[in-house]
Amino acid sequence: MRVLLTGASGFVGRHLHRALLDRGDFVVGIDLNAAPGVSEGDALDFFRRDDERYDLAIHAAAIVGGRASIDGSPLGVGTNLALDAWYMRWLIRTGTPRAVYFSSSAAYPVALQQPGDVRRLYEEDINLSYMEEPDATYGWAKLTGEKLASYAEAEGCRILIPRPFSGYGEDQDETYPFPAFIQRAKRRDDPFEIWGSGDSTRDWIHIDDLIGATFALLDADVTGPVNLGWGRATSFDDLARIVCSAAGYRPYLKHRADAPRGVHHRVCDPSRMLNHYVPTVTLEEGVRRALAA
């Protein structure tokens, strides 16, 4: 199968690229910036000029980073919106029959992710006819991208829209919480710094399961939004305890109230994914892998 992959040099894209090659697919990788041997660039120019038809297109390119990047680079939304819009135009122009648009859990309304009891987020909590406030401009870009995908679908392209929750892995950039915690534990930091109060929760999914779920959904010809996660609420304090226990020490947990923190709870209902794929890498196993890497 001939596959176009955007974001091929990013965290998710690198793993997608490897998995596609392992499946025997022919892959053309592009990105916002070219990476020799992995991706060509620039993706925006590609979508404006290319007219070649592929069997499958997977769009994972975006300007994104950890919480500090999301809060500190709000105008990155402009590039993301342009990239998504040209991707959808390209899908229609080339008659690409099957596509993936990687959205994000940041697209969910922040009103549903406040302190108090953890409320699992369902795919239906996003209403594209009445879009509620998502998480920062990055959330708006992903929400708008999903709206644009509905127009491309109306033109005949079948689009899967994964909504990953907190994806992580051994080779993730340290601007994200999980690898930052791993590095602190490897250094045996004491006190161990945590942004925010420590009681906010996330739903962690290992990159192997994120990729495995995406392919299982494609193979089952699923379209539309699908949450990728475990449905397990893990506080940042608990994540720190799991990481430090695996590293063999017990530091004092120091909370930074002045640091960026994001929404309080972000946990999914994974039922739609579980109809086709059951994740296998537990958080504890993922921590062990990262510490050993």
Side-chain angles (χ1 to χ4, degrees):
M1 185 162 59
R2 298 183 72 256
V3 183
L4 179 80
L5 172 64
T6 82
S9 57
F11 174 56
V12 173
R14 291 194 303 271
H15 289 266
L16 282 167
H17 196 196
R18 190 176 307 123
L20 287 164
L21 293 176
D22 288 345
R23 286 163 61 106
D25 295 323
F26 173 80
V27 185
V28 172
I30 59 174
D31 216 321
L32 290 168
N33 296 296
V38 179
S39 63
E40 304 171 14
D42 153 329
L44 279 167
D45 288 340
F46 180 92
F47 289 136
R48 292 188 188 108
R49 299 170 183 170
D50 182 79
D51 290 317
E52 193 170 352
R53 189 176 187 269
Y54 289 78
D55 301 306
L56 169 67
I58 303 178
H59 182 33
I63 293 178
V64 66
R67 191 72 232 176
S69 175
I70 290 174
D71 289 350
S73 304
L75 293 182
V77 66
T79 300
N80 289 339
L81 287 171
L83 188 60
D84 294 348
W86 279 104
Y87 173 64
M88 302 304 171
R89 286 172 179 257
W90 176 85
L91 290 176
I92 296 168
R93 188 175 72 246
T94 60
T96 300
R98 194 73 169 98
V100 178
Y101 172 69
F102 269 94
S103 185
S104 168
S105 56
Y108 280 101
V110 294
L112 302 180
Q113 304 172 71
Q114 298 304 309
D117 294 338
V118 176
R119 182 194 183 284
R120 285 186 171 189
L121 298 168
Y122 294 81
E123 288 87 354
E124 294 79 11
D125 286 328
I126 290 179
N127 182 350
L128 295 178
S129 297
Y130 178 72
M131 295 190 286
E132 298 181 66
E133 182 79 26
D135 187 2
T137 58
Y138 180 71
W140 274 119
K142 289 302 182 182
L143 194 57
T144 305
E146 291 197 24
K147 184 73 172 180
L148 294 173
S150 69
Y151 300 140
E153 284 186 307
E155 296 292 332
C157 182
R158 296 176 59 77
I159 304 180
L160 170 67
I161 304 175
R163 291 177 186 158
F165 277 64
S166 293
Y168 71 96
E170 298 88 291
D171 60 337
Q172 191 176 31
D173 189 270
E174 287 182 40
T175 57
Y176 290 87
F178 181 90
F181 275 34
I182 293 296
Q183 291 307 312
R184 287 168 198 163
K186 284 185 174 182
R187 294 192 303 263
R188 303 183 75 83
D189 285 5
D190 191 358
F192 190 102
E193 186 176 281
I194 298 172
W195 290 8
S197 60
D199 60 348
S200 59
T201 63
R202 295 294 182 268
D203 188 350
W204 301 95
I205 179 168
H206 191 272
I207 187 64
D208 286 358
D209 284 321
L210 195 158
I211 302 304
T214 299
F215 285 124
L217 292 162
L218 277 171
D219 290 343
D221 201 29
V222 175
T223 59
V226 182
N227 289 334
L228 304 186
W230 280 74
R232 172 185 175 183
T234 303
S235 72
F236 283 102
D237 277 355
D238 284 341
L239 176 61
R241 293 186 185 104
I242 292 168
V243 169
C244 294
S245 176
Y249 82 121
R250 189 175 180 178
Y252 169 74
L253 303 184
K254 177 185 176 182
H255 300 102
R256 279 191 55 193
D258 62 324
R261 63 186 74 183
V263 296
H264 200 78
H265 296 300
R266 179 166 287 163
V267 181
C268 79
D269 180 278
S271 299
R272 191 170 294 179
M273 178 194 73
L274 293 175
N275 288 330
H276 305 281
Y277 182 84
V278 177
T280 61
V281 183
T282 65
L283 180 56
E284 288 77 9
E285 170 63 21
V287 165
R288 286 192 290 272
R289 291 186 187 185
L291 286 172

